Amino acid sequence: MAIEMELYGNWNYPTAIRFGAGRIGELPDACRELGMARPLLVTDPGLAALPMIAAAAERCRAAGLGCEVFDDVQGNPVAANVDAGLAAFRAGGHDGVIAFGGGSALDVGKAVALMVGQTRPIWDFEDREDWYTRVNVDGMAPVVAVPTTAGTGSEAGRASVITDERDHTKKIIFHPRMLPALVIADPELTLGLPPKITAAVGMDALSHNLEAFCSPFYHPIAQGVALEGMRLIKAWLPTACRDGDNVTARAHMLVASTMGAAAFQKGLGAMHALSHPCGAVLDIHHGLTNAVVMPYVLVFNRPAIEEKMTALARYLDLPAPSFGAVIDWILALREEIGIPRDLAALGVTEDHIEQLAPMAVVDPSAGGNPVRLTKANLTTLFRDALRGHIG
Ligand SMILES: [Fe+2]
């Protein structure tokens, strides 16, 4: 028990985070701190059916807050989910959002809070040039974020990924103030995640730390965060998958996930550039896709990241620290936690590549990749990931 007692803290980086088992009990207090009297709790239908959500809403009501639940949120969420949330927010006279769940619920909750006081359509706030300056900041509602998976890190991120159904692309809706003002990070909320989901979202967290670490920009703060995030994932993801009730493993994975999102302010890369079109077109799970493409992307990027991978291998205490040691570790980790080897196992076919590769070139994550991405080299990379060809 002594060890678990230490996994507790109040942090202010990159936002206010109340971390520790049982801290969901502070939800009403967190809402009040942000000036909310009538929070709208945004979650997904799967979670809404669990006692966790009813208990959280009831706790808020018992504390005198006018809390209602909105759960019309799908995986790979679309603008219609945000619109429906916005309608619920207005109809209920709400004054703040509790974004409660995995990446989809967190992203929709954050987007609803953004859109409350805007007159422009959501696509006008895509993460391009200085489009975020179009936002009426005074119209944004405050957000308390409560993650229930350890992967997305969206609770510590400044954007929401929403699928635009008009052209089946994932768009990044961005404003610096979309970073939730307060996070309750309670590892007990992640105890019920089944092993397969734990593995997929945990690999998303790894991909955030890893892509941030490999991206070429100068950002030593993110670099340090990413390294330690990866060390925690190496140490605890297998345990979290094998023994889901292990609160220590869940706590370390939850913080590693938050660290991934803090780190990827530095940039992402080809893992996410490949994964976003797969999610938008084929509705494949985001973390699972990242996990599958991870080793292929690293091999593709090898000329630009050899030294970084060697440094990473040293930090992770891998035998014979080198680029190859990192690949061997990732392949063994994937096998241990049951990640498929190639994109074919996720339902991607040769025919899809023609559609997916051009989408990946223009994906917002592509710019952070250490090797410049083109339609031609992405087609090759997709084919390697499809056929399971490494190096
Ligand atoms: Fe991701």
Side-chain angles (χ1 to χ4, degrees), residues 136-195:
N136 168 21
V137 176
D138 292 339
M140 293 173 73
V143 177
V144 175
V146 186
T148 61
T149 67
T152 163
S154 182
E155 70 279 3
R158 305 172 299 164
S160 293
V161 183
I162 306 291
T163 298
D164 186 346
E165 290 182 292
R166 296 170 306 176
D167 58 1
H168 293 280
T169 57
K170 284 204 171 189
K171 300 220 162 102
I172 296 181
I173 307 303
F174 170 83
H175 190 278
R177 290 273 296 270
M178 286 176 77
L179 180 68
L182 216 156
V183 177
I184 293 184
D186 182 344
E188 287 183 351
L189 302 179
T190 69
L191 293 178
L193 273 186

Side-chain angles (χ1 to χ4, degrees), residues 151-152 204-205 207-208 264 268 272 275-276 286-287 290:
T152 163
D204 190 27
S207 74
H208 296 152
F264 82 60
L268 287 169
H272 278 77
S275 177
H276 286 149
H286 173 75
N290 286 330

Side-chain angles (χ1 to χ4, degrees), residues 167-168 277 280-282 349-361 375 382:
D167 58 1
H168 293 280
V281 174
L282 302 165
T349 66
E350 286 283 344
D351 291 343
H352 290 127
I353 293 179
E354 208 173 315
Q355 183 186 3
L356 297 173
M359 295 173 75
V361 183
K375 192 183 160 200
F382 259 121

Side-chain angles (χ1 to χ4, degrees), residues 28-352:
D29 177 46
C31 292
R32 284 234 169 72
E33 203 171 308
L34 298 183
M36 297 181 201
R38 292 188 60 78
L40 178 67
L41 191 159
V42 176
T43 191
D44 66 55
L47 276 172
L50 299 179
M52 186 196 299
I53 294 296
E58 193 42 53
R59 189 174 266 137
C60 287
R61 288 182 202 121
L65 299 168
C67 182
E68 301 296 334
V69 175
F70 169 80
D71 70 357
D72 184 10
V73 171
Q74 67 194 68
N76 293 317
V78 296
N81 298 136
V82 180
D83 291 343
L86 205 49
F89 187 100
R90 288 172 178 152
H94 293 286
D95 54 9
V97 169
I98 302 169
F100 200 131
S104 302
L106 294 176
D107 281 4
V108 170
K110 286 161 65 180
V112 168
L114 165 74
M115 292 304 293
V116 164
Q118 314 305 326
T119 49
R120 288 166 172 266
I122 191 168
W123 308 122
D124 281 8
F125 307 123
E126 203 189 333
D127 189 9
R128 289 175 180 275
E129 293 119 42
D130 62 351
W131 286 16
Y132 72 90
T133 59
R134 298 165 165 177
V135 169
N136 168 21
V137 176
D138 292 339
M140 293 173 73
V143 177
V144 175
V146 186
T148 61
T149 67
T152 163
S154 182
E155 70 279 3
R158 305 172 299 164
S160 293
V161 183
I162 306 291
T163 298
D164 186 346
E165 290 182 292
R166 296 170 306 176
D167 58 1
H168 293 280
T169 57
K170 284 204 171 189
K171 300 220 162 102
I172 296 181
I173 307 303
F174 170 83
H175 190 278
R177 290 273 296 270
M178 286 176 77
L179 180 68
L182 216 156
V183 177
I184 293 184
D186 182 344
E188 287 183 351
L189 302 179
T190 69
L191 293 178
L193 273 186
K196 277 195 169 164
I197 306 288
T198 303
V201 297
M203 291 300 277
D204 190 27
L206 177 58
S207 74
H208 296 152
N209 285 291
L210 186 52
E211 292 218 278
F213 184 72
C214 293
S215 84
F217 310 114
Y218 179 67
H219 198 325
I221 301 171
Q223 209 68 351
V225 170
L227 266 180
E228 178 62 4
M230 288 188 275
R231 190 189 68 79
L232 289 170
I233 291 166
K234 175 174 178 278
W236 294 101
L237 180 55
T239 309
C241 293
R242 197 173 51 239
D243 174 15
D245 289 332
N246 186 320
V247 182
T248 302
R250 294 294 195 178
H252 286 306
M253 281 308 299
L254 187 56
V255 71
S257 155
T258 304
M259 291 166 82
F264 82 60
Q265 289 192 21
K266 178 171 179 260
L268 287 169
M271 293 171 207
H272 278 77
L274 294 183
S275 177
H276 286 149
C278 290
V281 174
L282 302 165
D283 205 26
I284 310 174
H285 188 275
H286 173 75
L288 190 58
T289 316
N290 286 330
V292 168
V293 302
M294 187 176 288
Y296 308 101
V297 169
L298 290 173
V299 168
F300 172 86
N301 284 334
R302 180 170 186 165
I305 61 171
E306 187 104 34
E307 273 179 50
K308 277 181 178 159
M309 287 297 96
T310 304
L312 171 61
R314 274 194 219 101
Y315 190 72
L316 295 179
D317 207 15
L318 298 175
S322 61
F323 178 87
V326 175
I327 295 291
D328 290 346
W329 162 59
I330 287 170
L331 292 177
L333 173 66
R334 291 200 325 174
E335 180 130 359
E336 180 175 3
I337 64 176
I339 301 291
R341 284 158 191 255
D342 52 49
L343 284 178
L346 304 188
V348 180
T349 66
E350 286 283 344
D351 291 343
H352 290 127

